[in-house]
Amino acid sequence: MRMYDLIMKKRNGEILSKEEIDFMISEYTAGRIPDYQMAAMMMAVYFQKMTQEETAALTMAMAKSGDMLDLSAIEGIKVDKHSTGGVGDKTSIALTPMVAACGIRIAKMSGRGLGHTGGTIDKLESFPGFSTEISSGHFLDQVNRIGISIMGQTLDIAPADKKLYALRDVTATVDNMSLIAASIMSKKLASGADAIVLDVKTGSGAFMKKEEDAFALAKEMVMLGRHAGRKTTAVISDMDEPLGFAIGNALEVKEAIETLKGNGPQDFTQLCMELGAQMLLAGKAAEDTKQAYDMLRGVIESGAALRKLAQFVEAQGGDASAVYDTSLLPSARITEEILSKQEGYVEKIVCDEIGICSLLLGGGRETKESTIDLSVGLILHKKVGDYVKAGESLATIHANDKEKLLLSKERFLCAYRFSETRPEKAALIKGIV
Ligand code: URA
């Protein structure tokens, strides 16, 4: 088999066989196919697309390109959750202890990632001493003992995807439905859970700006999960404005803790309840949505979900007292209000611009090598549909550097749009696939 022939085949709109896709992925992972040939293939896929069969073959080939985590040492149904990401998305921090407190086993691998804030692992490192660099033995043991563990990607999970994603990033071939779905699902399938709940975001702060594209991606990923024998559900949720009020690592952790105490923002709490319900159904801990919602409300009201977070933090070396006293989490030296120059209803918040404000403060990574400032970020006081008077605070900015604060503030003020009439609030949950 020759890569040249496969590129030509795809370029001409023909369908690649499973054997051809297996060859292409294993040879590329081994370094025997050069980047320039794979880049040409990605561009051919971008224009000619892939069939469902080709996408499924690509997903499995990438999933099998490295370690496949074996979770059979953990009793019961293991349920994983994945979000396509967005601004203020601290869902895993609150959701996983809620679901674990209801009896579902959470054995999750998570990443740091590039972006406006860190990934779940960075956020969890706001707890002094917390580590996700644990052995797979520790990981499996902890899940059996307390029902929850989150491990950093210490194993070599889907190395083909790592290489391909980096290549797509610099060759304008990221935004192809089959390639995105295969990339996400290859990592999830290699991570070993029996059931997967996907949170597919849509709106100005999401990968998929258009709702129809988010639904198409969700359907594609659900198909891939089921094809691999995993129960897979996708919730399509709004990311046209930031989720909750907090954006920034430690600030988001505080908001997640408040949510576990029952004092969380309405939208964030609703999303945790919906995803949590789908996880309980997938793990057969609840028979229907009503029972799942009752169980989730129960673990918040009893304090069991908060205690589960503390137990989880402690088991991974963190200072669990910070769960009960959030002043122990990192905090920034400077706080300043961002005052509105205009009056009216907030009509739109350009969501990814707010993410960039957090990045400018040092709360995210621009390159893999950047270090992250866990303490900085923003707390919004006004969201879409709220009325604002001129001079009223739109947000509190948390910073450690005056210059960065000024840059971020300037950008923030351009991200808010006002109108004289109250805009209709978009639904948070767009649908379930
Ligand atoms: N996230 C991924 O992991 N892969 C993609 O291709 C896009 C988003």
Side-chain angles (χ1 to χ4, degrees):
M1 231 179 267
R2 289 196 320 150
M3 186 61 176
Y4 179 91
D5 298 329
L6 303 188
I7 297 169
M8 186 137 76
K9 202 170 165 185
K10 187 39 79 185
R11 188 202 70 183
N12 293 343
E14 291 172 51
I15 295 171
L16 299 175
S17 70
K18 179 183 174 307
E19 289 68 33
E20 287 167 335
I21 290 172
D22 282 346
F23 164 82
M24 166 176 105
I25 293 300
S26 64
E27 291 298 288
Y28 181 59
T29 312
R32 289 189 288 266
I33 289 176
D35 276 347
Y36 54 81
Q37 279 193 312
M38 191 50 108
M41 173 60 88
M42 291 296 105
M43 195 55 87
V45 168
Y46 181 87
F47 283 112
Q48 296 292 359
K49 311 213 169 3
M50 277 185 147
T51 63
Q52 284 200 346
E53 288 71 24
E54 286 176 297
T55 310
L58 177 66
T59 308
M60 290 317 293
M62 293 204 298
K64 290 179 180 163
S65 66
D67 295 325
M68 300 279 283
L69 194 55
D70 177 8
L71 300 180
S72 58
I74 301 170
E75 296 150 31
I77 305 175
K78 280 75 67 182
V79 186
D80 199 358
K81 170 254 162 195
H82 177 81
S83 158
T84 58
V87 181
D89 188 4
K90 71 283 296 177
T91 312
S92 289
I93 316 281
L95 175 65
T96 52
M98 277 165 70
V99 171
C102 293
I104 292 285
R105 306 287 176 144
I106 302 288
K108 187 167 171 52
M109 296 200 57
S110 239
R112 295 183 187 278
L114 301 176
H116 310 132
T117 61
T120 299
I121 288 184
D122 299 295
K123 290 175 193 173
L124 284 167
E125 283 175 356
S126 299
F127 292 106
F130 188 94
S131 173
T132 53
E133 281 174 31
I134 53 176
S135 67
S136 20
H138 178 152
F139 175 69
L140 298 175
D141 223 48
Q142 186 179 317
V143 181
N144 270 329
R145 197 163 45 80
I146 66 166
I148 177 168
S149 183
I150 298 185
M151 176 163 76
Q153 287 183 359
T154 41
L155 296 175
D156 197 17
I157 295 286
D161 174 62
K162 216 170 281 166
K163 236 181 131 177
L164 254 186
Y165 196 5
L167 184 71
R168 286 165 55 217
D169 222 8
V170 292
T171 54
T173 50
V174 168
D175 52 342
N176 169 276
M177 202 70 76
S178 293
L179 296 179
I180 296 175
S183 164
I184 294 174
M185 290 306 287
S186 64
K187 287 173 280 208
K188 288 288 115 183
L189 296 178
S191 301
D194 306 303
I196 301 159
V197 174
L198 301 160
D199 179 11
V200 182
K201 309 281 195 192
T202 179
S204 65
F207 228 137
M208 294 291 153
K209 309 278 181 224
K210 289 196 231 140
E211 211 170 301
E212 72 221 55
D213 291 342
F215 271 94
L217 178 64
K219 283 184 191 148
E220 189 94 4
M221 291 197 288
V222 167
M223 177 279 292
L224 292 172
R226 291 185 182 161
H227 182 268
R230 318 287 173 92
K231 187 168 171 41
T232 310
T233 314
V235 173
I236 293 86
S237 72
D238 184 71
M239 190 36 82
D240 211 31
E241 64 175 332
L243 184 63
F245 299 112
I247 301 116
N249 300 279
L251 294 172
E252 292 186 29
V253 168
K254 281 184 201 167
E255 187 161 84
I257 290 172
E258 283 308 311
T259 304
L260 292 177
K261 290 182 190 164
N263 308 323
Q266 190 271 333
D267 59 347
F268 180 57
T269 305
Q270 187 192 345
L271 183 65
C272 288
M273 295 295 287
E274 189 56 53
L275 292 170
Q278 294 304 328
M279 290 175 82
L280 295 191
L281 291 172
K284 297 195 166 57
E287 278 174 15
D288 54 35
T289 315
K290 182 184 174 314
Q291 188 190 3
Y293 264 76
D294 288 345
M295 288 169 74
L296 293 163
R297 266 188 225 105
V299 293
I300 289 180
E301 281 163 17
S302 68
L306 190 69
R307 286 195 296 279
K308 187 56 76 183
L309 175 65
Q311 205 181 10
F312 162 48
V313 169
E314 190 174 351
Q316 294 193 210
D319 180 2
S321 56
V323 171
Y324 300 105
D325 176 4
T326 54
S327 70
L328 297 172
L329 296 172
S331 61
R333 280 183 288 109
I334 316 168
T335 56
E336 199 170 300
E337 299 305 311
I338 306 181
L339 306 180
S340 179
K341 294 186 176 152
Q342 296 179 57
E343 175 146 354
Y345 290 99
V346 179
E347 185 187 32
K348 180 160 184 60
I349 304 174
V350 186
C351 193
D352 40 11
E353 279 295 303
I354 303 292
I356 291 169
C357 294
S358 156
L359 187 66
L360 290 174
L361 292 168
R365 274 189 196 88
E366 290 198 58
T367 68
K368 272 192 286 188
E369 289 72 33
S370 324
T371 49
I372 233 170
D373 185 343
L374 295 173
S375 66
V376 298
L378 301 124
I379 301 285
L380 308 184
H381 303 308
K382 300 288 179 186
K383 294 196 47 177
V384 172
D386 291 341
Y387 193 78
V388 187
K389 291 191 191 133
E392 220 183 328
S393 175
L394 291 172
T396 309
I397 193 159
H398 293 243
N400 283 319
D401 180 309
K402 201 73 194 164
E403 226 166 89
K404 288 181 183 170
L405 184 151
L406 288 175
L407 276 178
S408 176
K409 194 169 163 177
E410 224 169 86
R411 194 124 183 186
F412 183 93
L413 284 165
C414 299
Y416 268 65
R417 309 277 150 77
F418 298 89
S419 77
E420 283 176 12
T421 49
R422 188 197 287 271
E424 216 163 284
K425 190 100 176 155
L428 178 73
I429 308 293
K430 313 286 186 195
I432 295 173
V433 174

